[in-house]
Amino acid sequence: MEEIGDQTFFRYCVLTLIFSGPPTAVALKFLQAPYGKHNRTGWGPTVSPPIAWFVMESPTLWLTLLLFPFGRHSLNPKSLLLFSPYLLHYFNRTILYPLRLLRSSSSSSSGINGFPISIAAMAFTFNLLNAYIQVRWVSHYKDDYEDGQWFWWRFIIGTVVFIVGMWINITSDRTLVRLKKENRGGYVIPRGGWFELVSCPNYFGEVIEWLGWAIMTWSWAGIGFFLYTCSNLIPRARASHGWYIDKFKDEYPKTRKAVIPFLY
């Protein structure tokens, strides 16, 4: 009975993840989360961005440590290998990225804007839900680890896609943090690399990452995460693209797309 209850709860969580994407995309067409270049008042108390990013992304690490050992595949080498890209991304996002922000802010005389606690709390809640889904799928509910050839083909193809996306995401984030540091918290037009093609290659890279994850896991859990990432980041990329155009006018490159090179 306990197993049936957990499976039912897991299914409802997956459905929640999948069906939360469309309303998120619609909402973000009209209202952008107020952090970064979209920062504005009226969203309550704030906390420093490094702390906000660390706290709101942290469930992806500590919840994994709590749940993974209780999965029926927890000792399966394929299960551990499959989950390693997810942990790699979130080790960067939870530990390394906040440290880069901290170094950037400490070296800037103007500092960086606060991150609304309300937004961090919503992100924390999403990461709690999503971490539970991804951990439980990989460690417990996935049932085709013995299908060797098919598993390895999906894993290899998905990993290549994931690594390409992660490289785009990290290098683009580093460029943005560096520019923020060099310009003492101000904004300039990013140049070089994927920025020559799109305004938000960091978002493009993350979309590619979770496409790779969906291929690797070959599951509604992975597909739901990929679709939600698109619903969240593509509208934000469009808003950021418009922000750059409004701020820099004719200086901003006309050929750049918002998030998908040559298309969108």
Side-chain angles (χ1 to χ4, degrees):
M1 289 297 293
E2 183 178 348
E3 174 68 20
I4 294 174
D6 181 77
Q7 190 170 17
T8 300
F9 178 72
F10 175 79
R11 287 174 177 170
Y12 277 120
C13 287
V14 173
L15 288 173
T16 300
L17 176 64
I18 292 172
F19 287 108
S20 62
T24 297
V26 171
L28 290 176
K29 283 182 66 69
F30 303 99
L31 184 66
Q32 284 301 314
Y35 64 89
K37 62 178 62 66
H38 302 287
N39 193 23
R40 57 192 182 277
T41 60
W43 287 75
T46 63
V47 67
S48 74
I51 293 176
W53 279 101
F54 171 76
V55 172
M56 69 188 187
E57 302 288 326
S58 66
T60 58
L61 299 183
W62 58 257
L63 192 60
T64 297
L65 296 177
L66 288 176
L67 292 181
F68 204 96
F70 294 97
R72 60 193 177 97
H73 302 303
S74 61
L75 298 180
N76 188 326
K78 289 182 179 178
S79 174
L80 296 169
L81 182 64
L82 179 58
F83 209 65
S84 58
Y86 177 94
L87 289 177
L88 182 63
H89 170 91
Y90 279 110
F91 179 78
N92 171 68
R93 186 58 69 194
T94 307
I95 306 298
L96 301 183
Y97 180 66
L99 287 175
R100 288 197 294 271
L101 287 180
L102 186 63
R103 287 198 298 268
S104 172
S105 62
S106 63
S107 63
S108 171
S109 61
S110 61
I112 47 182
N113 293 321
F115 198 110
I117 293 176
S118 58
I119 299 300
M122 286 188 280
F124 179 90
T125 301
F126 170 79
N127 283 320
L128 201 63
L129 169 71
N130 188 56
Y132 166 76
I133 292 170
Q134 307 307 323
V135 172
R136 287 298 283 169
W137 174 257
V138 172
S139 70
H140 192 73
Y141 289 114
K142 188 172 175 61
D143 57 6
D144 62 348
Y145 284 112
E146 302 311 315
D147 186 7
Q149 187 174 8
W150 185 223
F151 170 84
W152 286 115
W153 272 111
R154 289 196 314 254
F155 180 76
I156 291 170
I157 294 172
T159 298
V160 170
V161 174
F162 187 94
I163 289 174
V164 170
M166 190 170 184
W167 175 76
I168 295 171
N169 176 257
I170 291 177
T171 55
S172 301
D173 271 342
R174 284 178 176 170
T175 296
L176 292 174
V177 172
R178 175 179 56 80
L179 289 175
K180 196 85 166 176
K181 177 180 177 181
E182 292 174 352
N183 293 276
R184 300 182 180 275
Y187 288 97
V188 297
I189 300 175
R191 305 281 186 182
W194 286 85
F195 284 102
E196 297 303 318
L197 299 176
V198 293
S199 295
C200 300
N202 50 332
Y203 295 156
F204 173 63
E206 192 156 346
V207 167
I208 295 299
E209 280 185 78
W210 300 121
L211 172 61
W213 176 252
I215 295 170
M216 275 187 275
T217 60
W218 206 251
S219 66
W220 284 112
I223 292 171
F225 188 16
F226 167 68
L227 293 176
Y228 185 87
T229 300
C230 293
S231 300
N232 182 34
L233 295 186
I234 290 178
R236 187 166 181 85
R238 286 288 299 170
S240 295
H241 183 68
W243 183 92
Y244 277 121
I245 292 173
D246 289 342
K247 181 174 179 62
F248 296 106
K249 306 295 192 257
D250 293 337
E251 293 181 58
Y252 201 68
K254 300 292 190 298
T255 57
R256 284 192 196 180
K257 301 299 183 181
V259 62
I260 302 175
F262 310 112
L263 294 176
Y264 187 75

